[in-house]
């Protein structure tokens, strides 16, 4: 049985007078991998950040696993959620950033353990075992005591993925996870993500990696100018784009 | 492929060049050596320094002025005053900095006004002002605000809403007045230092922490502050050392249990001026030296994972290894 994990209805977002998202609709089912493509400035990263309420949307609604993000509906009225409730919603949504954003003053293991220990107050020994297992899974069991500054970009990004996974999220958001990496390091990060997808993790991935989208994606959306221009199965969209804008973009990246 | 070519090709002789000469360095050393010798000569031969007055005995049957009982008591007071006022300064400074950066406009303007006031008033004046606050109020305490007015409103004469109060002259005399003056003034400076530190931490750090579900306080306490410390510690060391010296201002509150007050007292009694000043200089030098050592270790602790100092040293080592290593390598080859 498939259920809707992410649902966006007519999402709008403006920064001041600049309208970045002009009505985004999207459904991502549980276990699906949705890749978001588009030129820079198309609003794809902003949309991703709206899903875990790092950005507040101006109109429309986003639900994750049936949970309205950022608001509570009561008596036909929307009430803004307090800091605690927003934090609670974010716990089950993992996010991986373009610039890794690991905590530089903590070792790799501490980075992964921090949130489960502090946010969920889980048993430290248990978390440590889980963190070790996760680091092993992303191929970094040797690096647990290193500091992020001693790792390569690819290794740092894999730690960041392990850090997000340690919270046992039901949804993972990837914001251009390989864009800040040297070309030869991209593969190791994509491999970890493919492995995750195979395990049935629901993922929304903003990326420029067409190959990844074709191989792993269940769904692809192409955004430009704050709207979804084209949507469909990755193979179809990439092989046979319907819109002029999509065709022009793909011809440049492929 | 490339391996083969390097092994086949013979390594050239290591370069044996005459190093660049630095005659300027030798000249500087010579000049400085002469100046240093002159200075030492000055210290030793001028009897007016009266070293025995400072170190061994300043009056019959008494120790040197540096080590007499009251002066040591004063030293203890100076250290205590430094520690307590810095504690107030750092604690309140962090609070003020967080307030200043808060999205709440009222909190941030309160912090701004505080900083404005306490940075504008000279510490010496502030210290004397605090010592004389009992002129304004005879008692200080906790209780209901506007208790007298509320009493009047309900027709009760002399309604007293104070839960606890104490005579201002007892509370605000001497040490406490000096501590408050120095601590509150320090908080204004510390607030700016902490603010700079907090702002130096990359925005992505708190974003990543928040995305993991951490609360704003947790983000501050666990992620942002520890990273800000790297920027905060060096100027705080500076402030602490400045504070050691500024404690001498409270001699005018007056606070008797303080190093400069006590040394001054000796000077006033014996009419010996210069050796007493030298004794003060030596004590302040000693305290500051100890503090600088402490600062070194603190900086090393908060540099974990960055190695700003470590990295610079490593770079130097790399250069050495690069140069030295090559020579060792070629020796093995030959």
């Amino acid at each position: 049985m498939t259920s809707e994990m992410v649902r966006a209805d007519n999402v709008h977002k403006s920064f001041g007078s600049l309208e970045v998202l002009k009505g985004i609709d999207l459904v991502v089912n549980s276990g699906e991998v949705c890749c978001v493509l588009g030129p820079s400035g198309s609003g794809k990263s902003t949309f991703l950040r709206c899903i875990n309420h790092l950005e507040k949307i101006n109109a429309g609604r986003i639900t994750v696993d049936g949970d309205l993000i950022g608001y509570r509906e009561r008596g036909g009225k929307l009430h803004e959620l307090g800091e605690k409730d927003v934090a609670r919603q974010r716990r089950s949504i993992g996010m991986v950033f373009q610039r890794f954003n690991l905590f530089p003053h903590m070792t790799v293991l501490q980075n992964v353990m921090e949130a489960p220990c502090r946010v969920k107050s889980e048993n430290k020994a248990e978390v440590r075992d889980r963190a070790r297992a996760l680091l092993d899974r992303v191929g970094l069991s040797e690096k647990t005591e290193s500091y992020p500054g001693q790792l390569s970009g690819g290794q740092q990004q894999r730690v960041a993925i392990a850090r997000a996974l340690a919270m046992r999220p039901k949804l993972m958001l990837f914001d251009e996870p390989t864009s800040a990496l040297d070309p030869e390091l991209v593969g190791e990060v994509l491999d970890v993500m493919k492995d995750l997808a195979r395990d049935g993790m629901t993922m929304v991935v903003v990326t420029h990696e067409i190959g990844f989208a074709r191989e792993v994606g269940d769904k692809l959306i192409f955004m430009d100018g704050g709207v979804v221009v084209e949507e469909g199965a990755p193979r179809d969209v990439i092989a046979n784009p319907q819109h002029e804008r999509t065709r022009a973009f793909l011809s440049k990246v492929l | 492929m490339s391996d083969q070519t390097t092994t086949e090709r013979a390594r050239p002789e290591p370069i044996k060049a005459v190093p660049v000469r630095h005659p300027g360095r030798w000249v500087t050393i010579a000049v400085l050596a002469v100046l240093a010798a002159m200075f030492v000569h000055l210290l030793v031969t001028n009897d007016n320094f009266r070293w025995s007055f400072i170190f061994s005995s300043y009056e019959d049957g008494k120790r040197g002025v540096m080590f007499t009982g009251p002066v040591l008591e004063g030293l203890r007071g100076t250290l205590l005053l430094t520690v307590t006022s810095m504690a107030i300064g750092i604690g309140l400074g962090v609070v003020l900095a967080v307030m200043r950066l808060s999205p709440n406009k009222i909190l941030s303007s309160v912090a701004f006004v505080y900083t404005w006031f306490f940075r504008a008033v000279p510490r010496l004046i502030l210290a004397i002002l605090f010592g004389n606050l009992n002129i304004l109020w005879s008692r200080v305490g906790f209780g209901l605000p506007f208790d007298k007015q509320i009493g009047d409103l309900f027709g009760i004469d002399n309604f007293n809403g104070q839960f606890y109060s104490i005579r201002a002259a007892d509370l605000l005399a001497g040490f406490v007045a000096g501590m408050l003056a120095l601590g509150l003034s320090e908080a204004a400076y510390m607030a700016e230092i902490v603010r700079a530190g907090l702002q130096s931490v990359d925005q992505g750090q708190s974003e990543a922490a928040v995305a993991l579900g951490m609360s704003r306080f947790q983000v501050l306490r666990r992620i942002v502050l520890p990273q800000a410390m790297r920027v905060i510690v060096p100027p705080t060391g500076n402030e602490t050392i400045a504070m050691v010296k500024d404690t001498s201002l409270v001699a005018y509150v007056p606070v008797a249990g303080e190093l400069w007050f006590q040394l001054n007292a000796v000077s006033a009694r014996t009419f010996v001026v210069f050796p007493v000043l030298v004794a003060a200089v030596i004590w302040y030098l000693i305290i500051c030296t100890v503090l600088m050592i402490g600062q070194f270790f603190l900086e090393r602790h908060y540099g974990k994972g960055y190695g700003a100092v470590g990295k610079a040293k490593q770079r130097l080592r790399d250069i050495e290894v690069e140069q030295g290593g090559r020579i060792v390598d070629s020796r093995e080859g030959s």
Side-chain angles (χ1 to χ4, degrees):
Chain A
M1 199 199 102
T2 56
S3 61
E4 279 175 9
M5 181 55 80
V6 182
R7 180 178 194 97
D9 288 320
N10 204 4
V11 169
H12 287 254
K13 168 74 191 170
S14 313
F15 292 109
S17 59
L18 180 72
E19 195 170 31
V20 183
L21 300 180
K22 301 169 183 165
I24 305 285
D25 296 300
L26 175 73
V27 174
V28 182
N29 287 324
S30 210
E32 271 186 345
V33 175
C34 172
C35 294
V36 185
L37 251 60
S40 53
S42 60
K44 52 193 194 314
S45 282
T46 306
F47 175 60
L48 197 73
R49 291 160 60 84
C50 288
I51 298 178
N52 67 352
H53 207 52
L54 280 181
E55 305 287 354
K56 225 189 244 177
I57 61 177
N58 301 112
R61 46 192 290 156
I62 297 177
T63 58
V64 171
D65 204 14
D67 221 5
L68 184 61
I69 292 296
Y71 300 92
R72 183 183 291 123
E73 203 163 20
R74 212 190 277 144
K77 247 186 172 176
L78 284 184
H79 298 262
E80 234 176 280
L81 286 185
E83 194 204 333
K84 265 202 190 118
D85 294 309
V86 173
R88 185 183 44 77
Q89 290 184 329
R90 283 178 181 146
R91 279 187 216 171
S92 51
I93 307 174
M95 185 155 191
V96 175
F97 298 85
Q98 183 179 359
R99 309 213 56 88
F100 330 132
N101 295 348
L102 291 180
F103 307 133
H105 58 302
M106 299 180 180
T107 64
V108 165
L109 191 65
Q110 286 168 339
N111 261 280
V112 179
M113 289 174 63
E114 179 68 14
C117 287
R118 300 280 154 183
V119 178
K120 286 182 162 178
S121 316
E122 286 183 66
N123 179 293
K124 209 166 179 185
E126 241 169 66
V127 174
R128 186 176 293 120
D129 290 342
R130 195 163 82 225
R132 286 237 164 83
L134 281 169
L135 287 169
D136 191 37
R137 183 174 172 188
V138 298
L140 290 170
S141 45
E142 309 284 297
K143 299 287 184 185
T144 49
E145 296 311 317
S146 305
Y147 285 93
Q150 300 165 322
L151 303 182
S152 74
Q155 290 170 331
Q156 288 192 51
Q157 194 60 297
R158 286 187 279 154
V159 174
I161 294 172
R163 179 176 70 176
L165 289 175
M167 290 294 281
R168 298 197 171 122
K170 46 191 178 190
L171 169 68
M172 286 284 284
L173 308 175
F174 291 85
D175 187 5
E176 303 200 26
T178 56
S179 299
L181 297 177
D182 289 344
E184 54 175 343
L185 302 179
V186 169
E188 61 189 57
V189 172
L190 291 182
D191 284 343
V192 169
M193 291 168 64
K194 284 175 197 167
D195 179 48
L196 261 182
R198 263 196 300 276
D199 265 18
M201 175 63 78
T202 316
M203 296 158 60
V204 181
V205 186
V206 171
T207 186
H208 293 299
E209 298 293 327
I210 308 287
F212 174 82
R214 188 163 36 199
E215 189 183 336
V216 185
D218 299 298
K219 174 179 272 179
L220 186 151
I221 64 173
F222 177 77
M223 282 177 68
D224 188 28
V227 292
V228 176
V229 175
E230 195 161 348
E231 180 175 357
R235 265 167 233 281
D236 302 340
V237 177
I238 293 165
N240 187 18
Q242 297 300 312
H243 278 262
E244 186 49 44
R245 192 67 195 82
T246 321
R247 226 169 287 148
F249 177 79
L250 285 173
S251 71
K252 273 180 207 140
V253 249
L254 279 174
Chain B
M1 276 273 284
S2 61
D3 273 345
Q4 260 181 344
T5 37
T6 42
T7 43
E8 273 170 14
R9 209 166 151 201
R11 212 179 245 284
E13 276 286 295
I15 293 172
K16 289 195 188 85
V18 180
V20 179
R21 304 285 177 207
H22 299 283
R25 287 184 193 170
W26 293 104
V27 174
T28 344
I29 290 172
V31 171
L32 288 176
V34 171
L35 287 175
M38 284 167 74
F39 183 65
V40 171
H41 177 79
L42 206 87
L43 291 182
V44 175
T45 52
N46 193 328
D47 287 337
N48 287 335
F49 270 111
R50 297 182 62 180
W51 295 110
S52 66
F53 183 94
I54 298 173
F55 291 117
S56 46
S57 160
Y58 84 95
E59 264 172 10
D60 283 338
K62 289 206 171 148
R63 284 176 278 188
V65 70
M66 268 181 80
F67 307 110
T68 52
V71 170
L72 288 181
E73 273 296 299
L75 175 71
R76 206 178 66 97
T78 287
L79 291 176
L80 191 66
L81 198 56
T82 307
V83 172
T84 49
S85 49
M86 276 314 287
I88 294 175
I90 292 171
L92 192 56
V94 171
V95 173
L96 284 166
V98 172
M99 280 168 70
R100 185 76 190 276
L101 294 174
S102 151
N104 184 334
K105 282 276 174 337
I106 296 172
L107 285 183
S108 77
S109 18
V110 168
F112 175 78
V113 170
Y114 182 98
T115 313
W116 163 77
F117 179 82
F118 279 98
R119 277 205 304 186
V121 182
R123 270 188 192 169
L124 178 59
I125 298 178
L126 206 60
I128 300 173
L129 193 86
F130 270 73
N132 287 300
L133 273 184
N134 58 348
I135 294 172
L136 291 181
W137 301 286
S138 56
R139 296 188 76 79
V140 193
F142 299 101
L144 296 176
F146 297 109
D147 52 347
K148 204 172 168 306
Q149 286 80 348
I150 293 172
D152 289 344
L153 198 67
F154 293 102
I156 309 167
D157 281 339
N158 293 324
F159 173 69
N160 189 352
Q162 299 283 309
F163 303 137
Y164 174 79
S165 68
I166 184 172
R167 270 188 62 218
D170 293 342
L171 177 72
L172 280 173
F175 191 86
V176 175
M179 181 182 80
L180 283 179
L182 293 177
L184 295 183
S185 150
E186 185 57 38
Y189 292 92
M190 283 307 302
E192 292 294 281
I193 291 171
V194 174
R195 183 166 68 104
L198 293 179
Q199 283 176 330
S200 75
V201 178
D202 180 37
Q203 185 69 38
Q205 288 293 308
S206 39
E207 224 162 58
V210 160
L212 284 166
M214 292 173 87
S215 70
R216 222 183 315 165
F217 180 76
Q218 282 174 327
V219 174
L220 183 72
R221 168 76 191 71
R222 299 285 306 169
I223 308 300
V224 178
L225 257 185
Q227 294 185 56
M229 287 307 269
R230 220 164 42 95
V231 175
I232 293 172
V233 168
T236 304
N238 231 0
E239 289 294 309
T240 312
I241 284 166
M243 180 60 81
V244 172
K245 297 176 289 175
D246 280 356
T247 53
S248 59
L249 296 176
V250 304
Y252 303 96
V253 168
V255 177
E258 185 272 327
L259 183 60
W260 175 237
F261 185 97
Q262 289 301 334
L263 283 168
N264 220 3
V266 174
S267 175
R269 194 150 39 83
T270 56
F271 303 107
V272 179
V273 177
F274 202 83
V276 169
L277 288 171
V278 173
V281 166
I282 294 172
W283 264 130
Y284 286 118
L285 273 176
I286 292 171
I287 301 171
C288 290
T289 309
V290 172
L291 285 176
M292 281 168 70
I293 294 168
Q295 186 183 349
F296 169 80
F297 286 103
L298 213 57
E299 278 181 32
R300 205 170 62 171
H301 173 76
Y302 284 110
K304 255 188 329 188
Y306 289 95
V309 179
K311 229 176 235 169
K313 281 197 183 137
Q314 184 63 46
R315 223 174 289 139
L316 286 177
R317 221 172 295 139
D318 285 346
I319 293 168
E320 269 166 40
V321 168
E322 218 168 73
Q323 294 178 337
R326 223 174 257 160
I327 293 162
V328 171
D329 236 307
S330 56
R331 260 189 220 137
E332 278 170 357
S334 61

